[in-house]
Structure formats: C-alpha cells, structure tokens
Amino acid sequence: MTGKLDIDHLRQWIGRSTEASDIVTAQLVKGLRATLFQEVGEPKTGDAAPFTVHWCLAQPVFPMSMLGPDGHPTRGGFLPPVPLPRRMWAGGEIQFLQPLQVGDESTRTSRIADVQVKTGSTGTLCFVSVEHSISCPRGTAIRERQDIVYREMTSSAPAGKTPPPPPTAQHREIHVSDPVLLFRYSALTFNGHRIHYDRDYVTKVEGYPGLIFHGPLQAALIIEMAAKLRGGKAPKKFSYRGVQPLFEGTEFSVNATETADGMELWTANAEGQPTMKGTAVW
C-alpha cells in the first residue's frame, strides 16, 4: 500500500484518544518471565509483574478480514492512515512510577501526540508519536511515549559507512535470537506483524535477510537488566531508540555501562554493533 502522503490530513489525528482495560494474570506473568529469560516460578496475586507487562495488555483485536498484507490492521481508526507500507517501532520514553502486580486491573489511556514527516537515507519517513498513561488500583503506574515510524518499501538498505568499533560494556548478557523466542513474544503481545514470524514474507516481500527481532522485546530485556543491576528497582525514566534491525538465528547481547547519573544501555548483534540504544536514570 503506497499512496500520496497528505501530512495536513494525517495531522488531523493529533489529539485523538482511546482507552482499554485488561487484567494482569498469573499466566501472562509466567509467559513473559519465560520469554525474558527469568525464573518462571508460580506468581501469586500481589506479586510484581515484569516492568513492561503493559505491552502485553489490552492489545487491539481485529477480525482477520480487517488485517492488511503485513499482518497489521488496515490503516485508519485510532492511528492515522499513513500510506507508507513499512511500519516499525522506532523508540520512545517510559517513566516507571510503580510496578503492575498480578491481579491488577490496568487501564491504558492513549493519545496521538504528534505526526511528522522527514526524509532519510531510505526515502520518506512518517513518525507518529503516541502518549500512554497506564493506571492500576493504586494510581498511575506508567507514563510512556511511543514513536512509530512508517517508511517506503525499498529493496535494500543503502550502503553504509564502515561501522565504528563496538562499544565496551561493563555488564553484558548473551542470548540467541531464536525464532521460538520471537513467536512467543508475538503471541504475548497479540502482534500479527509478519516480519517477526513469516520468513517467506519478510525475505521475499520486505527484502530483509531473516525474521526481525521485536523492538519492544529488546527494550524489555534492557529494562530488566538495568533493574537487576540496581537491586530490582526500575529506572524512573528510560529513553530508547532503534538503531538497526536485529535478525533471527544469531547471538545478541544486552549491555550496560554506568554513567554519572544512570546507565547507558544497548542491545547488540553478533558483531557487537548496537541495534537499540537507551539511557536510564533513577
């Protein structure tokens, strides 16, 4: 799907809002813990959930007839109908006020904050910023801004410069981007985007070399590592952005380096090149 990009029309979506509620169940917490390489255990009512469990809650549900060729819902509705075919999570910022717990009824209030068009090395880019507030019975738990990017369907990435030497981390965890890991996270977040599980689609239609690791899953692993290094306390604020895709079938690392006011955090591919970068402050 590609059509004329009318920025004035798309910006009419700014200010639109929606609300959805869900319950943090023990089964959801077990599945997310397993996917984040944590001890699964037997979570009970009142136990803290992983810090990014809200990304699994109250996800939009559409009938199969309303899905586009990429597995996302057809454009329009709450999000503006951007006529660019590739849609990805570019980054964002999260403020953690208190953890969600097993048994909580959580309500997410979402608002379109901005729509901007830019030109990059791969052509036209449209950025949609969405603000979320997640509440629980004890009050507001999380405030968040998500940046979604839409872009053209280019056949391949432009030739880049020689990458700089990989950064040195004070703390590092190594994992493998297994297709089953990607499938599990898609299931937990009810994410039908085919780039994460349909190898024929992602290689033959979108032109990537393999299945693409979810941006939110990288961010979730970074946040959990940061909290673990600070005695289980989530950062007050975590800002992050995607740098380049991370693909299936290779080792990847989750990295942290202490700074004067917090941490620099990133995920990296098997060559050590960052795929997502973030900063956390407590």
Side-chain angles (χ1 to χ4, degrees):
M1 178 192 70
T2 303
K4 182 179 178 181
L5 200 158
D6 184 344
I7 185 59
D8 292 331
H9 175 63
L10 298 177
R11 287 182 63 82
Q12 292 178 19
W13 264 254
I14 295 174
R16 293 196 183 195
S17 64
T18 187
E19 186 174 285
S21 297
D22 204 346
I23 296 174
V24 183
T25 67
Q27 185 67 19
L28 171 60
V29 169
K30 288 174 70 173
L32 187 55
R33 284 178 178 175
T35 305
L36 298 179
F37 305 103
Q38 298 176 349
E39 183 177 345
V40 175
E42 292 294 338
K44 305 180 297 298
T45 299
D47 287 354
F51 294 110
T52 57
V53 70
H54 64 289
W55 287 339
C56 305
L57 296 171
Q59 292 302 307
V61 177
F62 293 87
M64 295 295 293
S65 61
M66 291 182 65
L67 300 183
D70 61 356
H72 276 309
T74 50
R75 307 296 170 86
F78 172 63
L79 289 172
V82 179
L84 296 173
R86 278 183 173 169
R87 167 184 162 182
M88 303 188 81
W89 197 322
E93 183 175 283
I94 310 175
Q95 298 176 56
F96 293 100
L97 307 178
Q98 57 179 307
L100 293 171
Q101 300 175 357
V102 176
D104 280 349
E105 180 173 357
S106 170
T107 298
R108 182 184 65 244
T109 302
S110 306
R111 174 184 174 274
I112 305 296
D114 199 10
V115 181
Q116 295 284 344
V117 173
K118 300 180 181 180
T119 301
S121 59
T122 57
T124 301
L125 304 171
C126 183
F127 291 87
V128 178
S129 294
V130 186
E131 294 176 345
H132 302 282
S133 176
I134 295 91
S135 65
C136 67
R138 297 170 302 283
T140 304
I142 296 167
R143 293 192 181 96
E144 177 180 13
R145 188 197 76 247
Q146 291 176 3
D147 298 325
I148 302 166
V149 63
Y150 299 80
R151 68 183 186 88
E152 297 172 281
M153 188 76 77
T154 52
S155 59
S156 61
K161 300 177 181 178
T162 301
T168 301
Q170 293 176 337
H171 310 278
R172 174 168 291 160
E173 296 178 355
I174 303 293
H175 302 291
V176 175
S177 57
D178 185 277
V180 177
L181 174 68
L182 306 187
F183 168 81
R184 282 184 161 194
Y185 196 73
S186 287
L188 285 166
T189 56
F190 203 67
N191 183 354
H193 200 181
R194 292 171 66 175
I195 64 173
H196 303 304
Y197 61 86
D198 187 335
R199 190 173 290 106
D200 278 350
Y201 172 83
V202 77
T203 57
K204 296 177 181 178
V205 177
E206 298 222 6
Y208 291 107
L211 300 178
I212 297 177
F213 202 103
H214 310 69
L217 178 52
Q218 294 181 65
L221 291 167
I222 288 173
I223 290 165
E224 293 292 341
M225 180 181 188
K228 183 167 62 175
L229 292 170
R230 290 296 175 95
K233 185 178 181 181
K236 290 181 179 178
K237 184 170 70 173
F238 173 67
S239 303
Y240 64 102
R241 63 181 178 88
V243 178
Q244 62 176 315
L246 175 62
F247 298 104
E248 64 167 317
T250 62
E251 283 192 346
F252 71 96
S253 59
V254 187
N255 306 271
T257 294
E258 303 280 352
T259 63
D261 56 356
M263 289 184 194
E264 296 288 339
L265 299 135
W266 67 98
T267 45
N269 58 24
E271 290 72 43
Q273 295 300 321
T275 57
M276 175 174 285
K277 292 182 178 180
T279 59
V281 294
W282 280 260

